Amino acid sequence: FVLSPTFASDYYVDAVNGSDETGDGSQTNPWKKLQFAIDSITGTAENPHTIHLAPGHYGPGGSGDQLGIYMHSYCQIIGLGVNTSLDFLRIGSVHAYSAHHTTVCNIKTRYIKINNGSDNVTITNCFFAADQTALNLANGSSCRVLNSNFCNCKVSISVYSDCSLEMWNCVLFQCEDKFFFFVVEEIVL
């Protein structure tokens, strides 16, 4: 008789009532910080994870998370709409790591940066309100944005030429610049 380890695929975070000290990430005993939850689990292709966010702000002045939250591969973050907010979400990091098969759903945010060849990234039902660029794709990354709103952003979306972006059923409202495309030229010496 062989026992296989059982891995939980759903975890819970509550910026108001959670605890990183006594919480275990369950629905009845959630963690407090989103970054703590992301760093506490390791999703794989065979066992991707979902983090459910309770209403609240995930960042300084809320959960106590740092300003920038770094997302890992095979992870999905699901909030409860505009009642669930965060400041900066980074999917992939320059010269550090890329993140694959990630989803961000039902959150309000100021800024998401997808970087370093991160791919199969999906952003759905999100609300962006930014005093800078709201969504940035760089360094060979790819992303699909579905049913999301960009409102009062300085720049809604910036995309480097080596990246790919698909948008479906999105609204860009009262943004100074809707899109900004960077052209990266190959230099031959």
Side-chain angles (χ1 to χ4, degrees):
F1 183 81
V2 177
L3 284 178
S4 298
T6 303
F7 297 100
S9 60
D10 287 277
Y11 296 92
Y12 296 84
V13 181
D14 187 330
V16 178
N17 299 308
S19 170
D20 296 337
E21 290 79 32
T22 61
D24 60 11
S26 67
Q27 191 169 10
T28 57
N29 196 12
W31 289 312
K32 182 176 186 73
K33 294 179 186 167
L34 176 55
Q35 190 67 63
F36 182 87
I38 292 169
D39 293 343
S40 296
I41 60 177
T42 303
T44 64
E46 299 78 28
N47 189 33
H49 296 304
T50 300
I51 298 174
H52 301 272
L53 300 178
H57 180 72
Y58 295 87
S63 64
D65 276 297
Q66 296 295 318
L67 187 61
I69 294 172
Y70 293 84
M71 196 164 169
H72 298 254
S73 295
Y74 301 103
C75 184
Q76 176 175 244
I77 296 173
I78 299 176
L80 293 172
V82 295
N83 294 322
T84 306
S85 65
L86 56 89
D87 292 312
F88 297 102
L89 182 64
R90 299 180 189 276
I91 302 172
S93 177
V94 177
H95 308 300
Y97 72 94
S98 56
H100 310 284
H101 302 279
T102 58
T103 300
V104 180
C105 183
N106 294 330
I107 62 164
K108 177 182 177 185
T109 186
R110 291 178 45 215
Y111 179 71
I112 295 178
K113 180 165 184 130
I114 303 166
N115 206 342
N116 200 30
S118 296
D119 62 359
N120 292 311
V121 175
T122 302
I123 297 170
T124 183
N125 298 322
C126 289
F127 182 84
F128 291 82
D131 54 358
Q132 59 182 356
T133 302
L135 176 64
N136 178 277
L137 276 78
N139 300 314
S141 298
S142 65
C143 177
R144 287 184 308 172
V145 183
L146 311 166
N147 306 318
S148 294
N149 294 302
F150 296 79
C151 186
N152 297 317
C153 302
K154 184 170 183 170
V155 176
S156 298
I157 302 163
S158 66
V159 182
Y160 281 82
S161 63
D162 60 346
C163 297
S164 117
L165 171 68
E166 292 179 43
M167 293 187 73
W168 296 89
N169 198 32
C170 294
V171 175
L172 288 74
F173 180 72
Q174 293 186 342
C175 297
E176 288 181 37
D177 291 316
K178 308 294 189 255
F179 293 96
F180 190 82
F181 294 98
F182 294 95
V183 177
V184 180
E185 295 181 346
E186 182 175 324
I187 300 173
V188 180
L189 300 175

